Amino acid sequence: MNLKQLKYFMAIAEERQITAAAKKLHIAQPPLSYQLSLLEQELGVTLIKRGPRNAELTDAGKLLYKRAEQILSMTSSAVREVENYGKGLHGVLSLGAVSSSGGVVPNLRMQEFTKHYPDIRFEIHEGNTFAIIEMLEKGIVDLGIVRTPFQYDRFHCRYSALEPMAAVMTKDLACGQGESGITLEELKNKPLIIYRRFEALIQEAFAEEGLTPFICCLNDDARTTYTWARKGFGIGIIPKSALQVLNLDQLICKDILNEKLRTQVAVIWEKKRYLSPLAQRFVSFFEDSVDW
């Protein structure tokens, strides 16, 4: 089994048709079918069920697809590390980023970074904090841009400034006496829309004040919280910096006045993993940022 066979196999699995996969790979169909047959003979299993129109993965094929994806990602990462070793002036910087980091990254300091190193390019992988940490573990990304809270024992971390969570609401759901701030007492019994990762934190903050939140919608992305809040389904609780990249026309935004409901963006990388000179330079610029 070699990398070429894995690439061919993944193309067939993704296209679900050998003809389409061959077209995607810019090769003829017979060599592709031949390589698949060799792979199945070597492994002693059927990986793909060939139908008249579609090719479907068997259970063994599904397992190999998952492993092949990891192997090829790690191979790409290894090539990138070796190419960048000792250079740090050009190459690809692969970043994993959560959606709520948009108000912090990218920033003006990063623009300055690209002016110093015009030959670099960024490869962005998006997901929630847990997905980004998994990408770091698999070597798919060089650096993770995540948001607290998370388990940081395995990582080197560089943090942005602490920021409050903000309550985002339509005029119909407007509440709170303050113009720019709102208390948990004022949010009690209000329908709240929250990012699932913050649920325990929010429950704990309310409990400390003897309150119980009414969470009407749980989701996995700050953008979903914003969308549902904008449609008037409830009051969204979103990290304040994330609001910088959202359209807040016709919405009311207030800082939540509670010390526990604060969060921050962090750049992280595994302690045991080699960090390329390019990534090291990026972290240095990140630390020096004056935009936060």
Side-chain angles (χ1 to χ4, degrees):
M1 183 171 63
N2 55 51
L3 294 178
K4 181 174 75 173
Q5 288 176 324
L6 290 180
K7 290 179 182 177
Y8 285 1
F9 165 72
M10 286 190 66
I12 296 171
E14 290 167 358
E15 296 297 320
R16 300 180 64 185
Q17 190 181 62
I18 293 180
T19 301
K23 184 176 181 180
K24 177 181 179 180
L25 294 167
H26 304 292
I27 62 173
Q29 182 177 331
L32 181 58
S33 298
Y34 177 68
Q35 288 296 330
L36 176 60
S37 296
L38 285 181
L39 184 59
E40 290 180 323
Q41 290 174 22
E42 179 181 350
L43 296 176
V45 294
T46 299
L47 298 171
I48 292 179
K49 294 179 182 177
R50 286 84 154 170
R53 294 187 178 180
N54 294 323
E56 298 290 341
L57 289 174
T58 64
D59 289 342
K62 292 176 182 177
L63 176 60
L64 180 62
Y65 181 85
K66 182 177 180 180
R67 298 297 181 229
E69 190 174 33
Q70 295 173 354
I71 290 168
L72 293 175
S73 293
M74 291 185 69
T75 300
S76 176
S77 176
V79 171
R80 187 170 63 248
E81 287 181 1
V82 173
E83 288 178 343
N84 288 339
Y85 181 79
K87 297 177 182 177
L89 299 177
H90 61 81
V92 178
L93 184 58
S94 185
L95 304 175
V98 295
S99 64
S100 65
S101 66
V104 176
V105 176
N107 57 44
L108 295 177
R109 188 66 169 140
M110 286 178 61
Q111 283 187 326
E112 187 177 342
F113 175 77
T114 59
K115 290 177 182 177
H116 278 75
Y117 309 108
D119 294 327
I120 71 161
R121 64 183 179 88
F122 294 98
E123 188 176 283
I124 309 297
H125 298 261
E126 297 176 296
N128 60 33
T129 291
F130 301 118
I132 300 304
I133 288 175
E134 185 177 359
M135 290 179 198
L136 281 169
E137 292 172 341
K138 293 178 179 178
I140 296 173
V141 297
D142 302 308
L143 299 168
I145 301 171
V146 298
R147 184 174 287 282
T148 60
F150 61 90
Q151 292 295 324
Y152 56 83
D153 296 348
R154 303 193 317 274
F155 303 103
H156 291 294
C157 308
R158 299 294 184 270
Y159 296 96
S160 68
L162 274 170
E163 60 182 278
M165 304 290 281
V168 179
M169 63 198 87
T170 59
K171 292 179 181 178
D172 291 341
L173 293 173
C175 60
Q177 297 298 312
E179 184 176 341
S180 60
I182 191 167
T183 66
L184 296 188
E185 175 70 28
E186 291 172 320
L187 284 170
K188 72 175 183 181
N189 301 325
K190 303 296 182 182
L192 303 181
I193 304 168
I194 69 170
Y195 180 24
R196 185 172 279 103
R197 256 194 5 102
F198 295 134
E199 181 182 12
L201 186 65
I202 289 169
Q203 293 279 12
E204 185 179 342
F206 271 84
E208 286 186 357
E209 296 191 15
L211 304 171
T212 301
F214 169 38
I215 299 173
C216 71
C217 176
L218 275 175
N219 62 79
D220 292 311
D221 196 299
R223 292 167 296 193
T224 303
T225 296
Y226 159 78
T227 300
W228 280 64
R230 188 171 186 82
K231 296 293 185 178
F233 283 86
I235 297 173
I237 297 182
I238 303 174
K240 187 173 182 178
S241 67
L243 301 181
Q244 296 178 30
V245 295
L246 299 174
N247 178 9
L248 300 177
D249 290 346
Q250 308 302 315
L251 290 175
I252 298 169
C253 303
K254 297 184 179 184
D255 293 355
I256 298 177
L257 305 176
N258 183 279
E259 290 298 317
K260 185 174 287 291
L261 293 185
R262 291 178 175 271
T263 181
Q264 58 194 144
V265 170
V267 173
I268 65 174
W269 65 97
E270 284 197 298
K271 292 179 179 178
K272 64 180 181 180
R273 194 173 185 84
Y274 162 78
L275 192 63
S276 72
L278 181 59
Q280 291 176 35
R281 292 169 192 251
F282 177 85
V283 170
S284 296
F285 271 76
F286 196 90
E287 288 181 296
D288 295 338
S289 176
V290 295
D291 297 319
W292 307 347

